């Protein structure tokens, strides 16, 4: 009877460890489980506030995430690398813009699909972009211009 209970506890623990490992792999973005995605990029004059791991939305629905942000040393533009679900096809005249969730929320990438029949293929870039709005710059511009 005691041995039977110990075996059940052992099986239960094993199932728990497997479940936690699976969740950790899913949340940690390991390539083993996320092969149904493709990568594209977008270049911005400013990616201020956008972070790696930020979500990518189309029509308010999360369809991917930002996998990296780097400065292009030739153009001095911020290159934002995006990973999207395979079933999402983006027209090549779409607009990528950096938005804020709520008033002081995290930044995310919003894609407004265009009407083109040509889609952005893996490795290609979204050409039309809108940088994030910097509130500090807007406020200081308003203060200094209204003082004249």
């Amino acid at each position: 009877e005691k041995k039977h209970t110990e075996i059940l506890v052992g099986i239960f623990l094993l199932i728990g460890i497997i479940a936690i490992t699976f969740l950790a792999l899913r949340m940690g973005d390991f390539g083993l489980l996320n092969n149904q995605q493709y990568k594209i990029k977008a270049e911005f004059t400013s990616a201020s506030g956008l972070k790696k791991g930020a979500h990518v939305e189309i029509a308010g629905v999360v369809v991917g995430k930002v996998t990296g942000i780097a400065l292009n040393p030739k153009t001095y533009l911020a290159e934002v690398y995006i990973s999207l679900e395979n079933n999402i096809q983006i027209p090549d005249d779409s607009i990528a813009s950096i938005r804020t969730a709520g008033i002081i929320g995290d930044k995310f990438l919003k894609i407004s699909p265009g009407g083109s029949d040509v889609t952005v293929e893996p490795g290609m870039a979204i050409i039309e972009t809108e940088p994030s709005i910097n509130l500090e710059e807007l406020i200081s511009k308003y203060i200094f211009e209204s003082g004249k």
Side-chain angles (χ1 to χ4, degrees):
E1 182 66 38
K2 187 177 181 196
K3 198 166 189 113
H4 182 70
T5 306
E6 288 175 355
I7 290 172
L8 281 175
V9 169
I11 291 171
F12 185 73
L13 266 171
L14 195 61
I15 291 171
I17 290 169
I18 290 169
I20 288 171
T21 304
F22 177 75
L23 282 173
L25 289 173
R26 283 292 289 168
M27 296 184 96
D29 252 356
F30 284 88
L32 307 166
L33 303 166
N34 290 14
N35 52 6
Q36 68 275 23
Q37 297 186 333
Y38 68 101
K39 292 181 171 30
I40 59 171
K41 72 176 181 177
E43 290 188 329
F44 293 88
T45 53
S46 170
S48 176
L50 191 68
K51 293 182 176 68
K52 182 180 175 181
H55 60 272
V56 179
E57 286 186 3
I58 297 177
V61 179
V62 177
V63 294
K65 65 195 296 182
V66 173
T67 57
I69 302 169
L71 179 70
N72 183 331
K74 292 188 178 96
T75 61
Y76 295 106
L77 293 173
E79 289 185 343
V80 176
Y81 300 96
I82 306 159
S83 180
L84 293 171
E85 295 171 12
N86 265 349
N87 60 339
I88 306 297
Q89 298 298 311
I90 296 175
D92 68 351
D93 60 346
S94 299
I95 301 169
S97 50
I98 299 172
R99 298 291 169 91
T100 307
I103 297 172
I104 53 170
D106 284 340
K107 302 271 185 175
F108 67 95
L109 194 69
K110 177 185 176 202
I111 298 177
S112 305
S116 173
D117 292 333
V118 181
T119 58
V120 179
E121 297 297 321
M124 288 174 58
I126 297 176
I127 306 301
E128 297 289 325
T129 60
E130 294 175 343
S132 63
I133 296 166
N134 190 331
L135 274 170
E136 293 163 355
E137 283 180 23
L138 281 177
I139 291 169
S140 66
K141 186 176 178 184
Y142 176 76
I143 289 170
F144 290 118
E145 285 185 4
S146 64
K148 291 179 182 175

